[in-house]
mmCIF file of all heavy atoms in Angstrom:
data_model
loop_
_atom_site.group_PDB
_atom_site.id
_atom_site.type_symbol
_atom_site.label_atom_id
_atom_site.label_comp_id
_atom_site.label_asym_id
_atom_site.label_seq_id
_atom_site.Cartn_x
_atom_site.Cartn_y
_atom_site.Cartn_z
ATOM 1 N N MET A 1426 -2.818 -30.127 15.852
ATOM 2 C CA MET A 1426 -3.742 -29.407 16.745
ATOM 3 C C MET A 1426 -3.405 -29.642 18.174
ATOM 4 O O MET A 1426 -3.237 -30.777 18.629
ATOM 5 C CB MET A 1426 -5.184 -29.895 16.515
ATOM 6 C CG MET A 1426 -5.698 -29.637 15.096
ATOM 7 S SD MET A 1426 -5.827 -27.854 14.751
ATOM 8 C CE MET A 1426 -7.176 -27.444 15.842
ATOM 9 N N PRO A 1427 -3.288 -28.592 18.976
ATOM 10 C CA PRO A 1427 -2.943 -28.721 20.414
ATOM 11 C C PRO A 1427 -4.109 -29.309 21.173
ATOM 12 O O PRO A 1427 -5.331 -29.095 20.836
ATOM 13 C CB PRO A 1427 -2.544 -27.408 20.808
ATOM 14 C CG PRO A 1427 -3.287 -26.463 19.966
ATOM 15 C CD PRO A 1427 -3.370 -27.182 18.625
ATOM 16 N N MET A 1428 -3.835 -30.005 22.288
ATOM 17 C CA MET A 1428 -4.920 -30.532 23.120
ATOM 18 C C MET A 1428 -5.250 -29.446 24.187
ATOM 19 O O MET A 1428 -4.377 -28.993 24.883
ATOM 20 C CB MET A 1428 -4.472 -31.820 23.810
ATOM 21 C CG MET A 1428 -5.576 -32.433 24.719
ATOM 22 S SD MET A 1428 -5.007 -33.923 25.582
ATOM 23 C CE MET A 1428 -4.704 -35.041 24.229
ATOM 24 N N THR A 1429 -6.495 -29.003 24.267
ATOM 25 C CA THR A 1429 -6.918 -28.013 25.128
ATOM 26 C C THR A 1429 -7.274 -28.589 26.502
ATOM 27 O O THR A 1429 -7.372 -29.845 26.666
ATOM 28 C CB THR A 1429 -8.113 -27.305 24.608
ATOM 29 O OG1 THR A 1429 -9.229 -28.166 24.453
ATOM 30 C CG2 THR A 1429 -7.813 -26.647 23.191
ATOM 31 N N GLU A 1430 -7.420 -27.759 27.503
ATOM 32 C CA GLU A 1430 -7.737 -28.218 28.771
ATOM 33 C C GLU A 1430 -9.159 -28.857 28.837
ATOM 34 O O GLU A 1430 -9.368 -29.798 29.552
ATOM 35 C CB GLU A 1430 -7.707 -27.010 29.773
ATOM 36 C CG GLU A 1430 -6.331 -26.377 29.977
ATOM 37 C CD GLU A 1430 -5.406 -27.246 30.740
ATOM 38 O OE1 GLU A 1430 -5.867 -28.228 31.367
ATOM 39 O OE2 GLU A 1430 -4.183 -27.018 30.755
ATOM 40 N N ASP A 1431 -10.046 -28.319 28.034
ATOM 41 C CA ASP A 1431 -11.432 -28.923 28.000
ATOM 42 C C ASP A 1431 -11.392 -30.316 27.418
ATOM 43 O O ASP A 1431 -12.055 -31.201 27.903
ATOM 44 C CB ASP A 1431 -12.358 -28.004 27.145
ATOM 45 C CG ASP A 1431 -12.605 -26.642 27.753
ATOM 46 O OD1 ASP A 1431 -12.404 -26.527 28.980
ATOM 47 O OD2 ASP A 1431 -12.858 -25.697 26.979
ATOM 48 N N GLN A 1432 -10.584 -30.533 26.372
ATOM 49 C CA GLN A 1432 -10.476 -31.866 25.833
ATOM 50 C C GLN A 1432 -9.855 -32.837 26.765
ATOM 51 O O GLN A 1432 -10.282 -34.016 26.876
ATOM 52 C CB GLN A 1432 -9.646 -31.873 24.533
ATOM 53 C CG GLN A 1432 -10.345 -31.149 23.394
ATOM 54 C CD GLN A 1432 -9.414 -30.957 22.150
ATOM 55 O OE1 GLN A 1432 -8.257 -30.800 22.277
ATOM 56 N NE2 GLN A 1432 -10.043 -30.911 20.991
ATOM 57 N N LEU A 1433 -8.805 -32.368 27.517
ATOM 58 C CA LEU A 1433 -8.239 -33.252 28.503
ATOM 59 C C LEU A 1433 -9.181 -33.561 29.660
ATOM 60 O O LEU A 1433 -9.217 -34.679 30.186
ATOM 61 C CB LEU A 1433 -7.006 -32.561 29.129
ATOM 62 C CG LEU A 1433 -6.139 -33.283 30.121
ATOM 63 C CD1 LEU A 1433 -5.660 -34.678 29.531
ATOM 64 C CD2 LEU A 1433 -5.019 -32.472 30.643
ATOM 65 N N ALA A 1434 -10.020 -32.515 30.103
ATOM 66 C CA ALA A 1434 -11.037 -32.836 31.142
ATOM 67 C C ALA A 1434 -12.043 -33.850 30.617
ATOM 68 O O ALA A 1434 -12.522 -34.670 31.361
ATOM 69 C CB ALA A 1434 -11.630 -31.494 31.559
ATOM 70 N N ALA A 1435 -12.387 -33.682 29.371
ATOM 71 C CA ALA A 1435 -13.412 -34.698 28.772
ATOM 72 C C ALA A 1435 -12.836 -36.089 28.761
ATOM 73 O O ALA A 1435 -13.561 -37.043 29.101
ATOM 74 C CB ALA A 1435 -13.779 -34.245 27.376
ATOM 75 N N ALA A 1436 -11.554 -36.195 28.433
ATOM 76 C CA ALA A 1436 -10.901 -37.551 28.425
ATOM 77 C C ALA A 1436 -10.857 -38.098 29.834
ATOM 78 O O ALA A 1436 -11.096 -39.287 30.021
ATOM 79 C CB ALA A 1436 -9.473 -37.424 27.846
ATOM 80 N N ARG A 1437 -10.535 -37.275 30.837
ATOM 81 C CA ARG A 1437 -10.531 -37.772 32.212
ATOM 82 C C ARG A 1437 -11.964 -38.247 32.660
ATOM 83 O O ARG A 1437 -12.092 -39.223 33.435
ATOM 84 C CB ARG A 1437 -9.999 -36.668 33.100
ATOM 85 C CG ARG A 1437 -8.522 -36.458 33.007
ATOM 86 C CD ARG A 1437 -8.088 -35.230 33.773
ATOM 87 N NE ARG A 1437 -6.603 -35.135 33.800
ATOM 88 C CZ ARG A 1437 -5.988 -34.027 34.231
ATOM 89 N NH1 ARG A 1437 -6.662 -33.012 34.715
ATOM 90 N NH2 ARG A 1437 -4.674 -34.014 34.208
ATOM 91 N N THR A 1438 -12.961 -37.545 32.240
ATOM 92 C CA THR A 1438 -14.316 -37.913 32.589
ATOM 93 C C THR A 1438 -14.625 -39.270 31.980
ATOM 94 O O THR A 1438 -15.245 -40.147 32.653
ATOM 95 C CB THR A 1438 -15.292 -36.857 32.080
ATOM 96 O OG1 THR A 1438 -15.017 -35.616 32.629
ATOM 97 C CG2 THR A 1438 -16.719 -37.240 32.494
ATOM 98 N N LEU A 1439 -14.294 -39.474 30.757
ATOM 99 C CA LEU A 1439 -14.497 -40.810 30.035
ATOM 100 C C LEU A 1439 -13.781 -41.927 30.822
ATOM 101 O O LEU A 1439 -14.287 -43.071 31.030
ATOM 102 C CB LEU A 1439 -14.145 -40.767 28.592
ATOM 103 C CG LEU A 1439 -14.964 -39.806 27.666
ATOM 104 C CD1 LEU A 1439 -14.345 -39.756 26.287
ATOM 105 C CD2 LEU A 1439 -16.401 -40.338 27.609
ATOM 106 N N ILE A 1440 -12.533 -41.700 31.189
ATOM 107 C CA ILE A 1440 -11.742 -42.705 31.867
ATOM 108 C C ILE A 1440 -12.302 -43.005 33.208
ATOM 109 O O ILE A 1440 -12.324 -44.198 33.677
ATOM 110 C CB ILE A 1440 -10.221 -42.187 31.949
ATOM 111 C CG1 ILE A 1440 -9.602 -42.117 30.637
ATOM 112 C CG2 ILE A 1440 -9.470 -43.195 32.820
ATOM 113 C CD1 ILE A 1440 -8.242 -41.503 30.571
ATOM 114 N N ALA A 1441 -12.837 -41.973 33.913
ATOM 115 C CA ALA A 1441 -13.462 -42.179 35.201
ATOM 116 C C ALA A 1441 -14.688 -43.057 35.114
ATOM 117 O O ALA A 1441 -15.079 -43.759 36.047
ATOM 118 C CB ALA A 1441 -13.771 -40.831 35.861
ATOM 119 N N ARG A 1442 -15.350 -43.030 33.943
ATOM 120 C CA ARG A 1442 -16.552 -43.854 33.730
ATOM 121 C C ARG A 1442 -16.209 -45.298 33.309
ATOM 122 O O ARG A 1442 -17.141 -46.100 33.160
ATOM 123 C CB ARG A 1442 -17.386 -43.196 32.625
ATOM 124 C CG ARG A 1442 -18.020 -41.823 33.029
ATOM 125 C CD ARG A 1442 -18.796 -41.269 31.866
ATOM 126 N NE ARG A 1442 -19.387 -39.924 32.182
ATOM 127 C CZ ARG A 1442 -19.979 -39.188 31.290
ATOM 128 N NH1 ARG A 1442 -20.100 -39.610 30.020
ATOM 129 N NH2 ARG A 1442 -20.425 -38.011 31.711
ATOM 130 N N GLY A 1443 -14.929 -45.626 33.158
ATOM 131 C CA GLY A 1443 -14.562 -46.960 32.909
ATOM 132 C C GLY A 1443 -14.125 -47.137 31.432
ATOM 133 O O GLY A 1443 -13.788 -48.275 31.037
ATOM 134 N N VAL A 1444 -14.040 -46.076 30.605
ATOM 135 C CA VAL A 1444 -13.574 -46.200 29.267
ATOM 136 C C VAL A 1444 -12.069 -46.263 29.236
ATOM 137 O O VAL A 1444 -11.410 -45.632 29.986
ATOM 138 C CB VAL A 1444 -14.065 -44.902 28.457
ATOM 139 C CG1 VAL A 1444 -13.627 -45.022 26.990
ATOM 140 C CG2 VAL A 1444 -15.549 -44.834 28.517
ATOM 141 N N SER A 1445 -11.570 -47.091 28.315
ATOM 142 C CA SER A 1445 -10.096 -47.255 28.240
ATOM 143 C C SER A 1445 -9.454 -45.991 27.720
ATOM 144 O O SER A 1445 -10.147 -45.143 27.053
ATOM 145 C CB SER A 1445 -9.790 -48.442 27.343
ATOM 146 O OG SER A 1445 -10.239 -48.174 26.009
ATOM 147 N N ILE A 1446 -8.184 -45.898 27.917
ATOM 148 C CA ILE A 1446 -7.453 -44.666 27.491
ATOM 149 C C ILE A 1446 -7.400 -44.587 25.956
ATOM 150 O O ILE A 1446 -7.556 -43.515 25.350
ATOM 151 C CB ILE A 1446 -5.997 -44.697 28.034
ATOM 152 C CG1 ILE A 1446 -6.029 -44.553 29.608
ATOM 153 C CG2 ILE A 1446 -5.209 -43.551 27.472
ATOM 154 C CD1 ILE A 1446 -4.639 -44.577 30.245
ATOM 155 N N SER A 1447 -7.219 -45.739 25.323
ATOM 156 C CA SER A 1447 -7.200 -45.735 23.823
ATOM 157 C C SER A 1447 -8.555 -45.299 23.246
ATOM 158 O O SER A 1447 -8.634 -44.558 22.303
ATOM 159 C CB SER A 1447 -6.855 -47.151 23.308
ATOM 160 O OG SER A 1447 -7.780 -48.098 23.787
ATOM 161 N N GLN A 1448 -9.695 -45.734 23.874
ATOM 162 C CA GLN A 1448 -10.965 -45.407 23.419
ATOM 163 C C GLN A 1448 -11.276 -43.896 23.708
ATOM 164 O O GLN A 1448 -11.843 -43.220 22.925
ATOM 165 C CB GLN A 1448 -12.050 -46.290 24.091
ATOM 166 C CG GLN A 1448 -13.448 -46.021 23.549
ATOM 167 C CD GLN A 1448 -13.618 -46.344 22.062
ATOM 168 O OE1 GLN A 1448 -12.965 -47.222 21.510
ATOM 169 N NE2 GLN A 1448 -14.502 -45.639 21.415
ATOM 170 N N ALA A 1449 -10.878 -43.458 24.897
ATOM 171 C CA ALA A 1449 -10.977 -42.087 25.218
ATOM 172 C C ALA A 1449 -10.231 -41.168 24.319
ATOM 173 O O ALA A 1449 -10.714 -40.052 23.885
ATOM 174 C CB ALA A 1449 -10.586 -41.782 26.680
ATOM 175 N N ALA A 1450 -9.043 -41.599 23.885
ATOM 176 C CA ALA A 1450 -8.207 -40.832 22.924
ATOM 177 C C ALA A 1450 -8.922 -40.680 21.607
ATOM 178 O O ALA A 1450 -8.905 -39.643 20.954
ATOM 179 C CB ALA A 1450 -6.828 -41.440 22.761
ATOM 180 N N LYS A 1451 -9.565 -41.848 21.148
ATOM 181 C CA LYS A 1451 -10.317 -41.763 19.884
ATOM 182 C C LYS A 1451 -11.533 -40.863 19.991
ATOM 183 O O LYS A 1451 -11.879 -40.164 18.988
ATOM 184 C CB LYS A 1451 -10.798 -43.154 19.493
ATOM 185 C CG LYS A 1451 -9.635 -44.084 19.124
ATOM 186 C CD LYS A 1451 -10.186 -45.484 18.756
ATOM 187 C CE LYS A 1451 -9.057 -46.439 18.356
ATOM 188 N NZ LYS A 1451 -9.546 -47.806 18.043
ATOM 189 N N GLU A 1452 -12.103 -40.812 21.181
ATOM 190 C CA GLU A 1452 -13.349 -39.959 21.348
ATOM 191 C C GLU A 1452 -12.966 -38.474 21.123
ATOM 192 O O GLU A 1452 -13.755 -37.686 20.623
ATOM 193 C CB GLU A 1452 -13.990 -40.200 22.669
ATOM 194 C CG GLU A 1452 -14.628 -41.598 22.810
ATOM 195 C CD GLU A 1452 -15.855 -41.666 21.973
ATOM 196 O OE1 GLU A 1452 -16.462 -40.674 21.682
ATOM 197 O OE2 GLU A 1452 -16.247 -42.840 21.640
ATOM 198 N N ILE A 1453 -11.835 -38.103 21.701
ATOM 199 C CA ILE A 1453 -11.481 -36.652 21.607
ATOM 200 C C ILE A 1453 -10.586 -36.349 20.398
ATOM 201 O O ILE A 1453 -10.192 -35.184 20.185
ATOM 202 C CB ILE A 1453 -10.715 -36.212 22.876
ATOM 203 C CG1 ILE A 1453 -9.385 -36.939 22.972
ATOM 204 C CG2 ILE A 1453 -11.648 -36.414 24.097
ATOM 205 C CD1 ILE A 1453 -8.469 -36.479 24.225
ATOM 206 N N GLY A 1454 -10.287 -37.389 19.559
ATOM 207 C CA GLY A 1454 -9.573 -37.157 18.342
ATOM 208 C C GLY A 1454 -8.053 -37.048 18.445
ATOM 209 O O GLY A 1454 -7.463 -36.337 17.615
ATOM 210 N N PHE A 1455 -7.413 -37.779 19.418
ATOM 211 C CA PHE A 1455 -5.990 -37.783 19.524
ATOM 212 C C PHE A 1455 -5.515 -39.210 19.639
ATOM 213 O O PHE A 1455 -6.237 -40.089 19.897
ATOM 214 C CB PHE A 1455 -5.597 -36.984 20.797
ATOM 215 C CG PHE A 1455 -5.741 -35.454 20.652
ATOM 216 C CD1 PHE A 1455 -6.923 -34.883 20.960
ATOM 217 C CD2 PHE A 1455 -4.645 -34.732 20.242
ATOM 218 C CE1 PHE A 1455 -7.001 -33.499 20.853
ATOM 219 C CE2 PHE A 1455 -4.722 -33.359 20.079
ATOM 220 C CZ PHE A 1455 -5.920 -32.715 20.366
ATOM 221 N N HIS A 1456 -4.212 -39.340 19.431
ATOM 222 C CA HIS A 1456 -3.525 -40.619 19.613
ATOM 223 C C HIS A 1456 -3.434 -40.962 21.049
ATOM 224 O O HIS A 1456 -3.312 -40.146 21.954
ATOM 225 C CB HIS A 1456 -2.167 -40.597 18.915
ATOM 226 C CG HIS A 1456 -1.572 -41.981 18.647
ATOM 227 N ND1 HIS A 1456 -0.851 -42.621 19.612
ATOM 228 C CD2 HIS A 1456 -1.699 -42.803 17.588
ATOM 229 C CE1 HIS A 1456 -0.441 -43.808 19.109
ATOM 230 N NE2 HIS A 1456 -1.001 -43.928 17.951
#
Side-chain angles (χ1 to χ4, degrees):
M1426 296 296 294
M1428 182 182 296
T1429 62
E1430 296 289 346
D1431 294 337
Q1432 291 173 329
L1433 183 60
R1437 285 174 174 169
T1438 303
L1439 292 174
I1440 295 172
R1442 294 177 181 175
V1444 180
S1445 63
I1446 296 180
S1447 60
Q1448 185 62 31
K1451 291 180 180 179
E1452 290 291 335
I1453 63 174
F1455 285 89
H1456 195 271

